[in-house]
Amino acid sequence: MNCNKETIELMHNYLDGDLTSQEECDLRTHLEDCEDCQHYFHELKRAITLIKSAEQFAAPEDFTQKVIQNLPNEKKRVKFMRWFKVHPVLTAAAIFFVLMMTGMLSSWNTDSELVVSKQEELVVEGDTVIVPEGVTVPGDVLVKNGNLMIKGTIDGNVTLVNGKLIDDRPIDSQGLMASAGEVTGELETVDRMFEWMWYQLKDFFKGVFSF
Amino acid sequence: MDQFIREKIKQVKKGDQSAFGEVVTFYQDKIYQHCLRMLGNAHEAEDLAQEAFIRAYVNIHSFDDRRKFSTWLYRIATNLTIDRIRKRKPDYYLDAEIKGTDGLDMYSQLANGAKLPGEEVESLELERYIHHEISQLPPKYRSIIMLRYLEEFSLQEISEILDIPLGTVKTRIHRGREALRKRLRHV
């Protein structure tokens, strides 16, 4: 190798993309004239090409798993959040259920006092609501947390929640409903949590469909 | 791809391990290979590559989002391998007695009848031969040559990964190329 270090320096700078166009021109002119340098330059470029073809290695198969196992514990909150992300439907269902249950419980528990629909004809005695004899009550009747005694007529549906229908004529014990024939609409008794829920739902959907 | 990694890193910063799992899967081959080329030993390479990822996870908050994650990750891995190489020398005296054995030394751990290193190299295919030649470079040239030509980082990025001035990177890459030119001219 007779050529000076400068040319070799130029070659390396060329390979690093550091040459100005003037220097590049100089190098090219020199390479055209000097076979030794041409050879040297070729060897350098070839070495680079060869390096790039070095054997490739892949990490062992369980590599990621091992790394994860050795990580410090993650925060619980993140775990929950991820679970929610993976199961969006269950999450929605769970949230819906929780909301519904709280709503239901509150509406179930808060009013343990007697609730009666507002018809002037109804008479309240303690926890018993009485439809007096010879009186016709217009519209639907709702009695909650109390009993209902029907002597007169109800012109509409009757809903009894958490209460019983009382008949003061003991002989007619089987025909309670029949004796309440004075009810022109449906008579419905609700005295369980789930029936109450069912009633609420039915009511809700009735409301929706009536629009 | 950059966007994908950036997104995952955000989740990792919130403490999400499964997002980190995806990051590991994405980089595992590159980092493992880098460690293997630096150390020349598969077992040690796996060990250190694992360690590199764990350190990245633990120190994720010191990673600046505006920079390239791969540069940061390679920096951790490279520092670990360089430390290991430095510490290694006193660890492996062939004639040191192995603890818990009765007079056995490291020579007894070498397989009998194995070809001499020189012969073995001759029988290797070209790819492996190149790998071997790279591994024969001094570590400070080897890391730069690998980062430049196998992992295709720019010189500026290499200067960040190794935390050395750009000028030093250039000097070393020149010498590394010279050494490889001499080694590979007869291939």
Side-chain angles (χ1 to χ4, degrees), chain A residues 12 16 18 40 43 46 48 50-53 55-59 63-64 66 72 74 78 82, chain B residues 14-18 21 25 28-29 32-33 37 46 50 127-128 130 170 174 177-178 180-181 187:
Chain A
H12 281 291
D16 291 340
D18 276 348
Y40 192 96
E43 278 179 355
R46 193 159 162 277
I48 292 169
L50 283 171
I51 296 165
K52 288 185 179 175
S53 70
E55 193 179 8
Q56 300 284 317
F57 300 91
F63 189 89
T64 303
K66 275 193 195 164
E74 71 178 339
V78 179
R82 189 170 60 244
Chain B
K14 288 177 192 157
D16 188 340
Q17 288 195 349
S18 83
T25 308
Q28 60 176 4
D29 287 348
Y32 170 75
Q33 186 160 269
R37 289 212 171 95
E46 189 185 348
Q50 295 255 346
E127 289 180 1
R128 195 159 293 180
I130 308 277
K170 284 182 182 168
H174 292 189
R177 271 196 300 248
E178 275 309 320
L180 281 168
R181 183 190 68 86
V187 174

Side-chain angles (χ1 to χ4, degrees), chain B residues 79-178:
Chain B
N79 285 342
L80 282 171
T81 54
I82 290 173
D83 276 357
R84 178 65 63 95
I85 291 168
R86 266 187 212 138
K87 284 182 195 158
R88 181 192 265 171
K89 280 170 189 155
D91 289 353
Y92 293 95
Y93 285 123
L94 279 175
D95 48 9
E97 190 176 315
I98 302 168
K99 271 182 193 168
T101 60
D102 207 15
L104 281 178
D105 56 29
M106 286 305 269
Y107 284 115
S108 63
Q109 300 298 299
L110 296 173
N112 278 337
K115 289 179 198 163
L116 292 172
E119 290 172 33
E120 201 168 337
V121 166
E122 280 166 12
S123 70
L124 291 173
E125 43 194 309
L126 181 65
E127 289 180 1
R128 195 159 293 180
Y129 177 70
I130 308 277
H131 170 70
H132 175 81
E133 286 303 308
I134 294 172
S135 70
Q136 295 302 302
L137 286 175
K140 62 179 180 180
Y141 301 149
R142 198 193 320 158
S143 55
I144 290 181
I145 291 286
M146 278 162 43
L147 289 169
R148 182 74 191 97
Y149 293 113
L150 289 164
E151 281 126 36
E152 310 207 311
F153 283 104
S154 70
L155 294 181
Q156 183 58 48
E157 284 167 338
I158 294 172
S159 127
E160 280 172 36
I161 291 172
L162 299 172
D163 201 18
I164 52 178
L166 187 58
T168 314
V169 175
K170 284 182 182 168
T171 316
R172 288 190 188 171
I173 203 169
H174 292 189
R175 292 196 185 140
R177 271 196 300 248
E178 275 309 320

